[in-house]
Amino acid sequence: MKAGIVGLPNVGKSTLFNCLSSAKAQAANFPFCTIDAQLGQVSVPDERLTRLAEIVHPGRIVPAVCDIVDIAGLVKGASKGEGLGNQFLANIRECDAIIHLLRCFDDPNIVHVDGSVDPVRDKEIIDMELQLKDLETLENRMKRVEKAAKVGGDKQARTELDVIETYQKVLLEGKSARTVTFETEEEKTAAKGLFLLTAKPVLYVCNVDDTSASTGNAYTQAVAKAIEGEHAQMLIISAQTEADIAELETYEEKQMFLEDMGLTESGCNRLIKAIYNLLTLQTFITAGEMEVKAWTFRKGWKAPQCAGVIHTDFEKGFIRAEVIKYDDYIKYGSEAAVREAGKMSVEGKEYEVQDGDIMHFRFNV
């Protein structure tokens, strides 16, 4: 999983990236401070691993991880290569999801590339550039499939052409591709194959001042209204507050700081969890003396697919899966006690793995 942080210059992308990642991107008060996309790896917060470790006493705890990319700021004309447009758009294309950071705070000491704070305008600038690039992609694709669809009678090409025309209509209305829902599997496959930028799932992150971290403000209210019907999610966070939290050494100090701010969990934790939810990702767990480890899978996957996350041989030679529900493991206190209570289930190839399942796979290759 890879999520890219995008936004106009000077909205706090690098500050947020530094909080999320152990990597340290340069953060400064001028446009294009970030020129090259920077990659950091972030652990996915999961309190269940800690509780299981208290029971199992493993050699180590291994959380799930995701990649976060700090992408250069975008300006008007990016779709035509202005500023760092071509590089920016290429970086977005490689990401699974977009973290669209919007400046929702006033500070005369931090310059705004357009001279004033207006997160809805900023959002529309980036939306328009991505939509223009998608229209260009669709136009080029249409040239290749139109003849096969209309003259050659190619059914697959006809479906793709219909999808292209549907997307074009929506984009020309100033809407993003993700607002479109297709019904048939053929249409969904054709849509996915176009790799449109505005079809990617988006989490709008409103970067506010510290006094608005728990409540939001007029700017965040405007953003919430602007994204209605977009099939996108929104999160309020104070990047500077997160930076202050990151400087604290102990867990207790961080919790006290959060309580003083009126928060129960750090914005970084909430952001990573929101990205997981946005991409319909879930976690199954393996627990033993060597390690307690979280493994990422997509919601709806069957047991063999999840076994393949650990090793391809597990999927190829899948026999069965032994499954313990997390709550049962915590309740009975050990795998042996769960077995004795009859709470371990044996599942076959059609079992749909659930978030938090503790799994043990049997296979033969």
Side-chain angles (χ1 to χ4, degrees):
M1 184 187 77
K2 184 187 289 186
I5 304 175
V6 306
L8 294 179
N10 278 15
V11 297
K13 298 185 303 299
S14 295
T15 300
L16 180 61
F17 176 79
N18 288 343
C19 299
L20 288 167
S21 169
S22 57
K24 291 294 179 184
Q26 184 186 9
N29 185 22
F30 57 88
F32 303 122
C33 171
T34 300
I35 295 176
D36 297 319
Q38 302 192 59
L39 176 66
Q41 198 168 71
V42 183
S43 297
V44 178
D46 193 336
E47 299 81 2
R48 295 173 299 190
L49 301 181
T50 304
R51 292 200 66 189
L52 285 170
E54 291 171 354
I55 296 172
V56 179
H57 304 295
R60 60 178 182 169
I61 300 174
V62 185
V65 296
C66 66
D67 292 333
I68 301 292
V69 186
D70 180 22
I71 298 174
L74 176 146
V75 294
K76 291 178 182 176
S79 59
K80 302 299 180 185
E82 293 294 327
L84 298 169
N86 290 331
Q87 185 174 332
F88 175 96
L89 296 168
N91 292 145
I92 293 177
R93 204 175 294 281
E94 295 172 358
C95 293
D96 301 302
I98 297 172
I99 302 169
H100 189 159
L101 191 63
L102 297 166
R103 177 172 171 175
C104 294
F105 65 90
D106 294 306
D107 188 336
N109 297 316
I110 300 178
V111 298
H112 190 290
V113 70
D114 284 328
S116 62
V117 177
D118 186 343
V120 174
R121 176 203 60 205
D122 296 351
K123 167 195 173 306
E124 290 172 350
I125 288 172
I126 289 188
D127 283 350
M128 182 179 68
E129 295 302 328
L130 299 184
Q131 289 161 8
L132 288 171
K133 196 65 180 179
D134 279 350
L135 282 168
E136 181 184 311
T137 298
L138 292 172
E139 185 178 346
N140 292 335
R141 186 69 179 177
M142 179 177 275
K143 292 175 182 176
R144 295 200 292 270
V145 302
E146 196 168 23
K147 186 175 180 180
K150 294 184 177 180
V151 180
D154 187 319
K155 186 178 179 182
Q156 186 175 338
R158 178 70 255 180
T159 299
E160 185 173 342
L161 184 60
D162 290 342
V163 168
I164 289 172
E165 291 173 344
T166 300
Y167 273 144
Q168 282 181 324
K169 181 181 177 182
V170 168
L171 289 165
L172 288 170
E173 292 173 352
K175 300 176 184 177
S176 294
R178 63 180 166 274
T179 61
V180 179
T181 302
F182 292 105
E183 298 299 327
T184 70
E185 289 303 317
E186 291 78 12
E187 290 173 328
K188 291 176 183 177
T189 300
K192 188 176 181 180
L194 295 170
F195 301 105
L196 299 183
L197 298 173
T198 64
K200 293 181 182 293
V202 171
L203 173 66
Y204 289 101
V205 178
C206 296
N207 186 14
V208 299
D209 58 273
D210 57 359
T211 60
S212 304
S214 62
T215 60
N217 54 30
Y219 291 133
T220 64
Q221 291 169 14
V223 172
K225 185 174 181 180
I227 68 173
E228 289 177 356
E230 266 201 36
H231 299 173
Q233 298 179 24
M234 188 183 104
L235 186 72
I236 297 172
I237 193 172
S238 170
Q240 187 55 54
T241 298
E242 296 302 311
D244 292 339
I245 293 172
E247 293 297 322
L248 299 175
E249 293 184 1
T250 68
Y251 174 80
E252 289 74 17
E253 287 177 317
K254 293 179 180 182
Q255 288 304 114
M256 288 178 62
F257 189 102
L258 287 170
E259 288 174 10
D260 290 342
M261 296 295 296
L263 301 169
T264 57
E265 187 177 23
S266 76
C268 288
N269 280 10
R270 290 185 289 116
L271 192 154
I272 297 302
K273 289 179 179 179
I275 288 294
Y276 241 53
N277 182 57
L278 191 68
L279 291 170
T280 64
L281 298 176
Q282 296 183 328
T283 300
F284 72 85
I285 302 168
T286 53
E289 291 183 0
M290 286 186 61
E291 63 182 19
V292 168
K293 184 169 183 176
W295 303 85
T296 301
F297 69 99
R298 198 168 294 280
K299 184 178 180 180
W301 278 14
K302 303 290 179 66
Q305 288 175 284
C306 289
V309 173
I310 298 177
H311 197 287
T312 53
D313 284 349
F314 283 28
E315 182 174 5
K316 291 176 184 176
F318 178 88
I319 300 173
R320 65 181 182 274
E322 296 172 353
V323 183
I324 301 174
K325 296 300 178 183
Y326 169 78
D327 288 341
D328 287 334
Y329 207 114
I330 298 301
K331 177 181 178 180
Y332 292 100
S334 71
E335 182 177 321
V338 171
R339 286 178 183 271
E340 189 175 336
K343 292 294 184 178
M344 175 184 283
S345 63
V346 178
E347 306 290 351
K349 293 182 177 180
E350 294 304 311
Y351 175 69
E352 188 174 301
V353 177
Q354 302 298 305
D355 185 53
D357 278 354
I358 298 164
M359 311 286 292
H360 182 73
F361 296 105
R362 300 291 183 181
F363 70 102
N364 182 30
V365 176

